[in-house]
Amino acid sequence: MANPVILSLDDDPAVSRAVARDIRRRYGDRFRVVRAGSGPEALAALREIKLRGEQVAVLLADYRMPEMTGIEFLEEAMDLFPAARRVLLTAYADTGAAIDAINLVDLDHYLLKPWHPPEEKLYPVVDALLEAWSSSPESTATELRVVGHRWSAPSFAVRDFLARNLVPYRWLLADDPEAGRLLAAAGASADDLPLVVAADGTTLVAPSEAELAGLVGMTVAPAADFYDLVVVGGGPAGLGAAVYGASEGLRTVLVERLATGGQAGQSSRIENYLGFPDGVSGAQLTDRARRQALKFGAELLSTREVVGLSEAGSARLVHFGDGGTIAAHAVVLATGVSYRMLDAPGLTEFTGRGVFYGSAATEAPSCVGEDVYIVGGANSAGQAAVHFSRYAARVHLLIRGADLTASMSRYLIDQLDGIDQVTVHPHTEVVAAAGDEHLQRLTLRDTRTGERREVDASWLFVFIGAEPRTGWLDGVLVRDERGFVTTGPDLVAGGQRPPGWSLPRDPYHLESSMPGVFAAGDVRTASVKRVASAVGEGAMAVSLVHRYLENQ
């Protein structure tokens, strides 16, 4: 297969040659460098590359060009190679336009000209973009294939699991000729779907998450029975705890029920996280954190549900749903929160068949030219609205309040105001859903007047509230009335230590009512629901674990 392409576009011949020279010097042994002098010329080159079945890794385009601006080119190029990383070359005076383009064309980076020396100002940027591209599902011709029905909740569950764990796959509908051949080879029928076929020919019919994890090489069994630290939950707080725990010499294992990243991992772009001025997708941030934890020696267990926690002398036992246990000196609970289910007639039966909780980024390309409805007024809903606006004809953001200011960051509100395809519907709620094999209609209600109206809708994405998954801690740890884990000073309000507390000291700041068990991130009472604070609490929890162990 031909080397992937890095394409540079600039109407100034001298600049064009310089870009191609610098790129070729560093990457010419692994990538084919193509340069163009105008937008139409570059698009023609991309179409030819597409016809040959080749891949494009990075697109670099100058902002100011007379025939077609760099932003206009990148916007059209997205339709041909949506996974290619996009860079805008710009002068200092045009940085405002470059920042706006981050949202318009999902820009990955902008580079100020000139960038000499390239070793400091060009290559680190391109290195990071190529690394991100190489980990995307579209970057390799994978042999993992998934056959399923378009409107099937089990088929969606398989695709969503693979996508959230950054496992590349190829999706085939049941009526595809290749799908028919795969079904015949597996001795299966269309009634048995979804079907997963690996590169070596191994097939799984309607697989469980654990079976999928084993097929793609994810770790599902612990390497030991005892650890210094068990981290429960693989969101930002859990990954932060795993990175800091392992890097500071603690034998650490992270246990995740579904996929690392949590709700943040599903975000299309996080723009207010420190150190990422151009924004970063939740998947990219999660992948970097996961690899960082592994580099320091942490174990990451997938598809293992924790259902119990108990004491055994100085050890803390974590119980799995399959009856297994692991023990540790200390535990960090970082299970985060789950989106609340929308309670309206008809919605439950269409979950995974038009109704989705969270961003469900795998569905975005299927929404081209259609209307998308999003319920929620916080940052996650706003980020989803920005993301889906690149595909959908219109995005309808349904909120119960009068406006977004009470729950959404200002930068996101400003972005939504600038996107013509997004309409915010205040004082609106979903009260019913209907359809045949999938969602086809929604009934909306005005919360002020009670007036109802029915709309055609095949796509509904729900981002309402948050509920901690802590039912398994009932009777084990002190929790507040909503189920969040109470920690530190909140446990000694009124001067009384929590029932059963056996130590002569008060609980540490993030420590729960069981000594040696800490809570970090969204699962903790009164936590700040932001990625940065969750990562910080994960790191802080490890510091408190060290203090706990030193005083044992």
Side-chain angles (χ1 to χ4, degrees), residues 268-324:
S268 57
R269 183 172 292 274
I270 303 168
E271 294 187 65
N272 59 350
Y273 187 63
L274 185 67
F276 292 87
D278 303 320
V280 61
S281 74
Q284 290 172 337
L285 189 62
T286 297
D287 182 54
R288 293 179 183 184
R290 182 186 58 80
R291 288 188 284 111
Q292 196 172 15
L294 291 171
K295 181 187 77 171
F296 287 122
E299 288 182 42
L300 270 62
L301 301 186
S302 301
T303 65
R304 299 302 296 269
E305 183 169 13
V306 175
V307 298
L309 175 69
S310 62
E311 295 180 88
S314 62
R316 302 293 175 261
L317 300 182
V318 172
H319 302 263
F320 296 133
D322 61 2

Side-chain angles (χ1 to χ4, degrees), residues 397-478:
L397 189 58
L398 313 179
I399 60 173
R400 294 177 61 89
D403 56 43
L404 297 168
T405 56
S407 55
M408 189 177 293
S409 295
R410 185 73 242 178
Y411 82 93
L412 265 175
I413 296 174
D414 292 341
Q415 281 183 30
L416 294 174
D417 286 343
I419 301 175
D420 293 337
Q421 296 96 317
V422 176
T423 302
V424 179
H425 300 268
H427 306 291
T428 303
E429 62 180 358
V430 176
V431 294
D436 294 325
E437 66 171 1
H438 64 93
L439 176 68
Q440 293 175 302
R441 294 175 302 281
L442 291 173
T443 302
L444 308 181
R445 175 181 175 273
D446 188 311
T447 58
R448 297 166 298 179
T449 65
E451 180 183 352
R452 298 186 177 211
R453 60 189 175 97
E454 192 173 87
V455 296
D456 293 332
S458 295
W459 307 97
L460 177 68
F461 298 88
V462 182
F463 301 83
I464 55 169
E467 294 179 334
R469 298 176 55 86
T470 58
W472 57 281
L473 293 170
D474 189 25
V476 179
L477 300 182
V478 174

Side-chain angles (χ1 to χ4, degrees), residues 110-135:
Y110 66 88
L111 283 170
L112 295 177
K113 300 186 293 184
W115 50 70
H116 296 296
E119 289 76 13
E120 295 181 12
K121 299 183 178 180
L122 175 64
Y123 296 150
V125 171
V126 178
D127 284 346
L129 294 175
L130 290 175
E131 181 182 6
W133 174 82
S134 66
S135 66

Side-chain angles (χ1 to χ4, degrees), residues 110-346:
Y110 66 88
L111 283 170
L112 295 177
K113 300 186 293 184
W115 50 70
H116 296 296
E119 289 76 13
E120 295 181 12
K121 299 183 178 180
L122 175 64
Y123 296 150
V125 171
V126 178
D127 284 346
L129 294 175
L130 290 175
E131 181 182 6
W133 174 82
S134 66
S135 66
S136 66
E138 295 88 346
S139 66
T140 56
T142 177
E143 287 299 319
L144 187 68
R145 288 160 288 182
V146 178
V147 180
H149 296 296
R150 177 68 198 89
W151 297 108
S152 161
S155 294
F156 166 73
V158 167
R159 295 165 56 218
D160 189 55
F161 177 84
L162 294 173
R164 291 183 62 181
N165 284 286
L166 302 180
V167 178
Y169 67 91
R170 191 149 57 90
W171 166 238
L172 300 170
L173 291 173
D175 57 0
D176 187 288
E178 183 179 351
R181 292 191 292 271
L182 293 174
L183 284 169
S189 70
D191 294 331
D192 299 320
L193 298 180
L195 172 73
V196 179
V197 183
D200 62 1
T202 301
T203 60
L204 294 176
V205 177
S208 66
E209 291 166 352
E211 290 172 329
L212 276 175
L215 180 69
V216 300
M218 298 166 66
T219 302
V220 296
D225 296 324
F226 196 92
Y227 295 83
D228 294 318
L229 175 64
V230 174
V231 180
V232 183
L239 287 167
V243 167
Y244 282 93
S247 67
E248 293 175 12
L250 298 178
R251 185 166 190 186
T252 302
V253 58
L254 183 149
V255 183
E256 171 54 46
R257 181 180 61 90
L258 182 61
T260 51
Q263 289 186 2
Q266 299 181 69
S267 174
S268 57
R269 183 172 292 274
I270 303 168
E271 294 187 65
N272 59 350
Y273 187 63
L274 185 67
F276 292 87
D278 303 320
V280 61
S281 74
Q284 290 172 337
L285 189 62
T286 297
D287 182 54
R288 293 179 183 184
R290 182 186 58 80
R291 288 188 284 111
Q292 196 172 15
L294 291 171
K295 181 187 77 171
F296 287 122
E299 288 182 42
L300 270 62
L301 301 186
S302 301
T303 65
R304 299 302 296 269
E305 183 169 13
V306 175
V307 298
L309 175 69
S310 62
E311 295 180 88
S314 62
R316 302 293 175 261
L317 300 182
V318 172
H319 302 263
F320 296 133
D322 61 2
T325 61
I326 53 175
H329 291 300
V331 174
V332 172
L333 301 175
T335 50
V337 293
S338 299
Y339 291 115
R340 287 194 290 110
M341 302 293 284
L342 191 60
D343 185 17

